[in-house]
Amino acid sequence: MRMTSCLRVVAIACALFSMPASAQDRTVFLTIDDGPLSGMSNILRALEAEKVPATLFLVGEHVQASKEHKDLLAKAKASPFVTIGNHSYSHAHNRYRSFYSNAAGVLEDLEEANKVLGLTVAPFHTRLPGRDVFRLPGVTREDRGIGHAEDELEKADYDKVAAAGFYLYGWDHEWSHDSRGKPIQSVEQLVSEIGTKFARRELVTTDKMLLLMHDEMFSDRYDGYAKFRALIAALKAKGYAFGHLKDYHR
Ligand SMILES: [Zn+2]
């Protein structure tokens, strides 16, 4: 064997061994909440460039805030890479306990968001504002962060909206941000955390991760376009697949 072919064989073997076992079976579902805000344009550009799917859980009031935001929704709806999710009309105006004290009001708020987002056919892929709750066929999980007593009060809300055709998605891991929206973990650190979660099977659904991020993390002031592309590229390099949300609970 000539030296160059020999080196090529070694390189291929190294590439195979460096890939985690069954990485191709491990799927990351990118989900970004709260838009349209200052990061959405960069998010859409990055998805287009990297050709991977993501779900944008959008807020009705944020869509209606400006012509620019309405145009972003139209652009997102035209993209083959984007699933539009419902993240409520009002985002509870960040007063969650009061919001969830009225189950009929919660359902009305979500239905109003459906109208703004143009979602007409159930199931409506939804992430509740301020709550890490799952209600999917075969998957039920309560928010473990709000305390047992509050959860007992709110369960009726979650069940009511689920019965009305809303699929509720929480998350497995978060790319966190500070109070101004700046991402906290580096891409390298985040990818390492994701690897640990898969290895420990700390996931609601085996081999599938719902990764939570927020729109403003990807604004220009945090170099959002480059950062989002860097995350996607790093996950690709580790061999992860990227899922469309409709395939999450199959
Ligand atoms: Zn939110």
Side-chain angles (χ1 to χ4, degrees):
M1 191 182 280
R2 287 174 54 196
M3 195 59 187
T4 47
S5 332
C6 187
L7 285 174
R8 200 173 303 137
V9 169
V10 170
I12 291 168
C14 285
L16 286 174
F17 282 116
S18 66
M19 196 174 280
S22 71
Q24 69 276 16
D25 298 328
R26 297 175 169 190
T27 305
V28 176
F29 294 80
L30 304 170
T31 71
I32 301 139
D33 288 9
D34 292 358
L37 292 170
S38 57
M40 188 152 153
S41 172
N42 284 336
I43 291 163
L44 294 177
R45 276 175 59 220
L47 294 174
E48 189 69 40
E50 295 290 340
K51 312 235 173 295
V52 299
T55 301
L56 308 185
F57 287 107
L58 302 178
V59 175
E61 280 189 350
H62 294 174
V63 172
Q64 292 184 326
S66 68
K67 161 95 169 57
E68 189 194 344
H69 286 188
K70 286 177 190 159
D71 291 347
L72 283 169
L73 170 63
K75 203 171 164 192
K77 291 187 81 152
S79 168
F81 304 108
V82 175
T83 297
I84 302 290
N86 183 326
H87 194 40
S88 82
Y89 180 75
S90 66
H91 207 281
H93 295 130
N94 298 332
R95 291 194 290 270
Y96 303 116
R97 284 191 174 215
S98 152
F99 181 72
Y100 291 108
S101 68
N102 173 6
V106 172
L107 182 56
E108 273 174 33
D109 192 278
L110 294 178
E111 285 172 338
E112 186 63 24
N114 271 352
K115 280 187 206 157
V116 174
L117 299 172
L119 302 176
T120 55
V121 181
F124 308 110
H125 301 297
T126 300
R127 178 169 285 146
L128 292 174
R131 293 292 180 261
D132 179 11
V133 163
F134 285 78
R135 288 291 187 280
L136 300 169
V139 184
T140 295
R141 197 185 73 170
E142 307 305 330
D143 189 322
R144 293 168 298 186
I146 60 172
H148 182 68
E150 184 64 21
D151 181 65
E152 283 298 314
L153 290 173
E154 295 187 10
K155 265 183 188 170
D157 303 42
Y158 313 150
D159 292 339
K160 185 182 179 78
V161 298
F166 292 85
Y167 279 11
L168 306 183
Y169 299 82
W171 58 89
D172 295 296
H173 195 59
E174 181 175 3
W175 191 357
S176 306
H177 59 82
D178 68 13
S179 60
R180 299 184 63 232
K182 186 180 180 186
I184 291 176
Q185 304 103 309
S186 65
V187 167
E188 190 182 32
Q189 192 180 349
L190 178 68
V191 170
S192 163
E193 291 168 4
I194 290 168
T196 303
K197 287 254 170 180
F198 272 103
R200 293 182 183 165
R201 301 194 153 225
E202 290 173 354
L203 303 164
V204 170
T205 300
T206 309
D207 290 334
K208 294 179 177 178
M209 167 176 285
L210 285 161
L211 179 65
L212 168 64
M213 296 164 280
H214 286 87
D215 184 299
E216 287 176 295
M217 297 166 62
F218 302 106
S219 64
D220 285 335
R221 66 182 178 278
Y222 306 129
D223 201 13
Y225 177 71
K227 269 205 177 144
F228 194 37
R229 285 199 68 173
L231 170 66
I232 294 166
L235 292 171
K236 281 181 177 173
K238 292 277 185 190
Y240 292 105
F242 296 85
H244 288 274
L245 195 65
K246 65 182 170 52
D247 299 323
Y248 174 78
H249 56 278
R250 282 189 181 161

